[in-house]
């Protein structure tokens, strides 16, 4: 499954600058004012850490392999804000770096490509020790660094220059001169987007945040319209389950919603849970059926389970920033 969203914070008081999931959601990485920490998602366990003694404002993992894409951040950034460093963990040093003309807001990786996101542009390079610029796309103003790069199909999606539309283009070696297609998703500006693991479905939300729409990426036709609520909300994360039969959504309404993608084209959530605080949070489906994990910008980890009646219960809550690699 493709990683859906990134939560970035200017300052949380605990040194946390960034949280991001890897491509299959088996891990999440944190950028802090001193470096990088990497955790297993389910069960929760710290796997490794890197103390650079300076801030890392963005971390992008490549599945569970040894490569990380890093961007400096915080009061004393480890690198300039316009530079992406590719770090190889096995030799514990940078193997290449790419500098662009504007501050880097996000990075997406697949095994042969690196996409660098700035406020109104996405630049695609080859991923090796001497990166080569391949493609450059203009976007709508994109302060949330919205973009998804499917690891299986090489599909790249991002907010189009046209308000409310999402651009789709294939960028793999065998894609040739793939023609860009547009999904007319919303009337308002795009605020969140997500691809499923297979790269066959796209989920979107606008800055209004009341509706989640799901589209077929081949036909660009709408498959589902899911109502999160009637009041405006900022969507933090949209996440597909591994079989794409459920969709989870977090927002600043402090509520996690789970929708079924089986049957009706329009449906309300089948389960929901009141989160303890309204901080930006990522959500991901757990390794067991009908389980979810929520990873909050305040350093909170919550594991949830729901039953046939739609009732959701909290099974675990931890402060992952207080853990160490030796904790069980």
């Amino acid at each position: 499954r493709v990683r859906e969203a990134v939560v970035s914070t200017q300052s949380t008081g605990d040194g946390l600058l960034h949280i991001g999931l890897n491509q299959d959601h088996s891990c999440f990485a944190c950028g802090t004012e001193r470096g990088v920490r990497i955790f297993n998602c389910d069960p929760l366990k710290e796997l490794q850490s890197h103390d650079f003694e300076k801030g890392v404002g963005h971390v992008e993992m490549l599945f569970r392999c040894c490569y990380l894409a890093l961007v400096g951040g915080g009061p004393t950034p480890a690198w300039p804000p316009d530079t992406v460093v590719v770090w190889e963990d096995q030799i514990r040093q940078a193997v290449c770096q790419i500098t662009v003309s504007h501050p880097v807001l996000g990075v997406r990786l697949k095994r042969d490509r690196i996409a660098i996101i700035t406020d109104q542009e996405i630049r695609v390079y080859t991923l090796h020790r001497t990166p080569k610029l391949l493609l450059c796309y203009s976007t709508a103003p994109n302060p949330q660094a919205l973009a998804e790069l499917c690891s299986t199909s090489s599909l790249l999606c991002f907010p189009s220059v046209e308000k409310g539309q999402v651009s789709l283009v294939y960028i793999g070696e065998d894609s040739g001169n793939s023609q860009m297609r547009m999904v007319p998703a919303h009337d308002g500006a795009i605020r969140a987007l997500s691809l499923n693991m297979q790269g066959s479905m796209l989920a979107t939300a606008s800055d209004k945040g009341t509706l989640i729409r799901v589209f077929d990426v081949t036909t660009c036709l709408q498959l589902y319209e899911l109502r999160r609520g009637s009041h405006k909300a900022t969507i933090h994360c949209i996440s597909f389950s591994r079989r794409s039969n459920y969709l989870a959504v977090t927002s600043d309404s402090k509520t996690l919603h789970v929708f079924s993608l089986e049957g009706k084209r329009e449906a309300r959530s089948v389960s929901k849970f009141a989160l303890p605080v309204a901080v930006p949070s990522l959500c991901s489906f757990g390794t067991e059926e009908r389980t979810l994990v929520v990873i909050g910008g305040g350093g909170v980890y919550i594991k949830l389970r729901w039953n046939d009646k739609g009732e959701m219960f909290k099974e675990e809550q931890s402060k992952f920033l207080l853990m160490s690699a030796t904790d069980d």
Side-chain angles (χ1 to χ4, degrees):
R1 186 175 71 227
V2 180
R3 190 221 359 94
E4 280 78 25
V6 172
V7 175
S8 295
T9 54
Q10 296 292 324
S11 176
T12 62
D14 50 20
L16 184 62
L17 299 172
H18 168 94
I19 310 171
L21 291 156
N22 70 343
Q23 287 85 352
D24 62 5
H25 288 202
S26 61
C27 301
F28 66 95
C30 301
T32 74
E33 292 180 357
R34 290 191 58 90
V36 174
R37 298 177 68 180
I38 297 174
F39 297 83
N40 192 75
C41 273
D42 185 22
L44 176 65
K45 180 178 177 61
E46 184 166 14
L47 301 176
Q48 56 182 281
S49 64
H50 303 282
D51 189 350
F52 297 117
E53 298 183 351
K54 291 186 177 181
V56 176
H58 184 95
V59 188
E60 178 76 0
M61 300 181 67
L62 183 57
F63 293 96
R64 299 176 76 103
C65 81
C66 60
Y67 289 103
L68 301 171
L70 308 175
V71 181
T76 55
W79 301 279
D82 60 355
T83 299
V84 178
V85 170
V86 178
W87 178 270
E88 186 174 342
D89 197 50
Q90 286 183 339
I91 60 176
R92 299 187 74 83
Q93 69 180 36
V95 293
C96 71
Q97 67 179 47
I98 303 170
T99 299
V100 295
S101 56
H102 295 92
V104 176
L105 303 181
V107 183
R108 302 292 180 264
L109 290 177
K110 66 185 299 288
R111 297 192 188 279
D112 59 350
R113 296 288 185 268
I114 178 169
I116 297 176
I117 308 159
T118 62
D119 184 53
Q120 297 191 57
E121 191 176 66
I122 296 180
R123 300 168 70 88
V124 180
Y125 296 81
T126 56
L127 181 58
H128 53 61
R129 291 177 183 268
T130 56
K132 177 185 176 182
L133 177 63
L134 298 175
L135 301 160
C136 186
Y137 301 107
S138 296
T139 72
N142 191 14
Q144 288 85 32
L146 302 178
E148 291 300 331
L149 177 53
C150 182
S151 58
T152 56
S153 69
S154 298
L155 177 65
L156 176 69
C157 63
F158 53 88
S160 172
V161 172
E162 297 294 325
K163 185 178 181 181
Q165 296 194 19
V166 177
S167 299
L168 306 176
V169 64
Y170 289 94
I171 62 167
E173 288 184 0
D174 56 351
S175 300
N177 294 319
S178 174
Q179 185 175 1
M180 186 176 295
R181 293 170 295 127
M182 304 294 179
V183 176
H186 301 274
D187 293 331
I190 302 297
R191 181 57 179 81
L193 55 82
S194 169
L195 286 170
N196 66 341
M197 180 177 65
Q198 298 79 13
S200 61
M201 290 194 290
L202 167 72
T204 65
S206 73
D207 54 4
K208 190 175 180 181
T210 55
L211 297 174
I212 312 298
R213 292 186 173 129
V214 181
F215 299 88
D216 183 312
V217 303
T218 302
T219 64
C220 297
L221 297 178
Q222 181 176 304
L223 300 174
Y224 299 95
E225 182 173 88
L226 311 169
R227 179 166 290 278
R228 182 209 56 81
S230 56
H231 298 292
K232 184 176 180 178
T234 298
I235 303 299
H236 291 151
C237 183
I238 304 174
S239 180
F240 284 93
S241 64
R242 287 168 173 78
R243 295 192 294 116
S244 302
N245 55 335
Y246 292 106
L247 191 77
V249 179
T250 58
S251 70
D252 65 355
S253 69
K254 294 175 58 175
T255 304
L256 166 74
H257 290 268
V258 179
F259 298 92
S260 172
L261 299 183
E262 298 175 319
K264 297 180 180 179
R265 294 171 61 89
E266 297 186 20
R268 293 185 180 273
S269 59
V270 296
S271 186
K272 60 183 181 180
F273 185 82
L275 299 173
V277 290
V279 296
S281 299
L282 298 178
C283 57
S284 172
F285 288 85
T287 54
E288 300 173 84
E289 190 71 15
R290 292 187 179 178
T291 60
L292 278 157
V293 296
V294 178
I295 306 156
V300 176
Y301 171 97
I302 301 172
K303 183 173 180 179
L304 304 165
R305 185 185 300 271
W306 78 95
N307 60 24
D308 292 338
K309 299 178 181 179
E311 300 166 325
M312 192 173 291
F313 306 94
K314 180 168 61 177
E315 288 195 342
E316 178 185 347
Q317 181 168 331
S318 303
K319 281 278 192 177
F320 59 83
L321 292 176
L322 302 180
M323 298 182 68
S324 70
T326 58
D327 292 338
D328 293 329

